[in-house]
Amino acid sequence: MATQGGIAFQEKVSRLLRGQNGKPVLKPNRALVLKDAVANRKPKKGEASCITEMSVLMACWKQNNFVDTLCSNEINSFYMCVEKAQADAKNKAAQSNIQGGRLPPKQATALLKRYPNLCKEI
Amino acid sequence: WYAIALQTSLLSFVCRVFLVRWSRYNPYYLEPEVSKEAYSRPETELSAEEKEQRELKALRPIKAATSGVSSSVFDDPVISKFINMMMEHGNKVLAREIMTQTLENIKKKQVEKYHKASEGEREAIECNPYTIFHQALENCKPVVGLASIQKGGKYYQVPIPLTDNRRRFLAMKWMITECRDNKHRRTHMYEKLSQELLAAFGKEGNVMKKKYELHKMAEANRAYAHYRWW
């Protein structure tokens, strides 16, 4: 952005800091420098997966006094549901990464750290 | 001139041992393939992905295999994991001894039972200690676990599905702690382990009780299952 605006941008910033008629518009308490990191996004709270399967399994357990051999069908279906849910979560994460158009915040931070803002000449 | 001789000998010492096996590698390194069967398959049997994998392995560096794995027919990853969990202060020799003694003990007991049993019952008795170990561990694995989740200032025990690794770890941990703590102190570890493994194979014993108690807790807390968000 600075290279696009160039000198005009810097002049605008210095005019804001100096101010018109001696009164500055901006009084920054920190240096006007960009950080080498991006704020993290709050991950969306999903719903609990496989609740129906779990409740069916627990009902079966209650009926059969927690013997596992009699509930083997329910156990297998629960495991399959869990596997599917994990695969879905992985696919969803990959999809949202590709579709977003922007980089996810962790990858953006990694990239910025590799090419940081130079604050010293050495 | 004793000091001078010592100094020259110290200077002439060159490190002949170069470290090649470490536990933290660059993610660029690939995992080693230890089993012989993976290499004996002909080219035609492989799918396109597997061919790509092979080509990648020819180009990328590969991590050194740990000394715990081997390409022999007797190498079992589950048993290796159990030995590592039993090991204390890095004494792998002792842990392996205990494991072999346990398997031997199981075999002895089962063969004794086999010879004492009548003709009809003999087929039902399992003598292979490895199958007994695997079956006992399978019987001890819990199906659901509990997680402590905070909601509204309070912590609730929420039933959650567990990964396979976690379940295997819990079964092994329960087995080892139960044998260490709740048995008579003058019995050997291999004796305690063989007793507990045979009991778990027959779906009895303290480890099975622990698993059932976990299941009962999960069943009692099933109302909080919605507090999960994954």
Side-chain angles (χ1 to χ4, degrees):
Chain A
M1 285 251 277
T3 46
Q4 273 178 14
I7 304 171
F9 182 73
Q10 297 286 337
E11 286 194 344
K12 193 172 175 184
V13 168
S14 65
R15 219 181 311 131
L16 287 167
L17 289 172
R18 242 181 304 119
Q20 294 149 323
N21 310 326
K23 279 195 198 151
V25 178
L26 291 177
K27 288 187 226 176
N29 54 4
R30 277 182 285 184
L32 294 173
V33 178
L34 291 172
K35 263 203 297 188
D36 292 327
V38 165
N40 275 326
R41 237 181 271 167
K42 257 190 185 166
K44 280 214 172 86
K45 266 197 174 185
E47 277 180 19
S49 50
C50 300
I51 295 248
T52 43
E53 305 285 331
M54 209 198 291
S55 50
V56 161
L57 174 63
M58 299 208 167
C60 176
W61 271 343
K62 198 76 193 240
Q63 264 188 348
N64 299 333
N65 197 16
F66 295 93
V67 177
D68 277 337
T69 39
L70 300 168
C71 298
S72 51
N73 290 340
E74 280 84 356
I75 293 180
N76 286 336
S77 59
F78 180 63
Y79 286 157
M80 297 226 287
C81 177
V82 166
E83 259 186 63
K84 213 161 71 95
Q86 277 177 350
D88 280 341
K90 254 196 188 174
N91 284 346
K92 225 180 153 189
Q95 253 189 358
S96 62
N97 270 359
I98 295 164
Q99 260 182 5
R102 286 191 205 159
L103 273 183
K106 290 223 166 94
Q107 292 185 15
T109 318
L111 191 62
L112 287 171
K113 269 203 148 77
R114 270 195 244 160
Y115 302 101
N117 240 348
L118 299 166
C119 47
K120 294 178 201 161
E121 247 182 75
I122 306 171
Chain B
W1 53 272
Y2 278 119
I4 297 165
L6 186 64
Q7 260 184 343
T8 43
S9 67
L10 281 172
L11 285 168
S12 62
F13 172 70
V14 173
C15 186
R16 247 176 289 240
V17 178
F18 294 102
L19 295 168
V20 285
R21 289 191 199 100
W22 25 61
S23 49
R24 303 189 69 177
Y25 284 90
N26 192 326
Y28 198 61
Y29 281 65
L30 303 171
E31 298 288 331
E33 177 66 58
V34 196
S35 64
K36 282 187 206 165
E37 289 87 31
Y39 294 111
S40 57
R41 293 167 70 190
E43 276 283 322
T44 45
E45 256 190 45
L46 303 172
S47 62
E49 302 166 332
E50 291 183 327
K51 280 196 181 125
E52 262 186 60
Q53 267 288 321
R54 268 211 185 169
E55 277 177 30
L56 188 65
K57 286 205 167 179
L59 300 168
R60 286 255 194 119
I62 301 186
K63 300 184 196 177
T66 52
S67 41
V69 301
S70 72
S71 52
S72 85
V73 288
F74 303 113
D75 177 44
D76 193 353
V78 181
I79 295 213
S80 306
K81 187 61 82 175
F82 195 75
I83 291 174
N84 284 339
M85 283 183 68
M86 263 205 295
M87 170 168 67
E88 275 182 331
H89 308 297
N91 199 345
K92 182 75 151 251
V93 174
L94 184 61
R96 249 186 94 129
E97 259 310 305
I98 295 174
M99 191 72 219
T100 40
Q101 281 169 343
T102 311
L103 295 168
E104 206 184 301
N105 206 320
I106 293 176
K107 180 85 187 229
K108 268 194 209 163
K109 289 184 182 171
Q110 290 295 93
V111 169
E112 214 183 296
K113 241 171 78 173
Y114 180 88
H115 285 297
K116 282 194 191 154
S118 56
E119 276 301 323
E121 290 168 20
R122 278 191 177 180
E123 283 165 4
I125 295 179
E126 176 62 55
C127 280
N128 186 351
Y130 291 96
T131 45
I132 292 182
F133 179 78
H134 286 125
Q135 189 55 48
L137 219 57
E138 271 297 323
N139 291 348
C140 290
K141 285 186 188 175
V143 180
V144 289
L146 292 172
S148 192
I149 292 188
Q150 193 192 24
K151 187 132 174 159
K154 265 174 76 173
Y155 285 90
Y156 298 96
Q157 294 292 323
V158 175
I160 58 167
L162 298 169
T163 58
D164 274 332
N165 278 342
R166 177 80 186 152
R167 289 166 54 224
R168 188 184 67 172
F169 169 77
L170 281 175
M172 290 189 189
K173 186 90 186 166
W174 289 342
M175 184 70 75
I176 294 174
T177 39
E178 207 275 317
C179 286
R180 279 183 187 159
D181 303 336
N182 299 346
K183 300 270 188 195
H184 183 50
R185 72 177 181 91
R186 284 211 65 157
T187 39
H188 289 285
M189 183 69 180
Y190 65 82
E191 180 61 46
K192 299 187 251 196
L193 260 179
S194 58
Q195 279 173 10
E196 200 52 46
L197 282 167
L198 283 169
F201 181 69
K203 304 214 177 149
E204 321 153 323
N206 285 347
V207 192
M208 295 299 288
K209 215 169 72 162
K210 191 145 184 183
K211 176 185 121 161
Y212 284 140
E213 271 171 26
L214 182 65
H215 283 179
K216 281 178 192 157
M217 277 275 283
E219 208 276 327
N221 286 7
R222 68 185 187 277
Y224 300 132
H226 288 276
Y227 286 1
R228 232 190 331 141
W229 59 84
W230 66 93

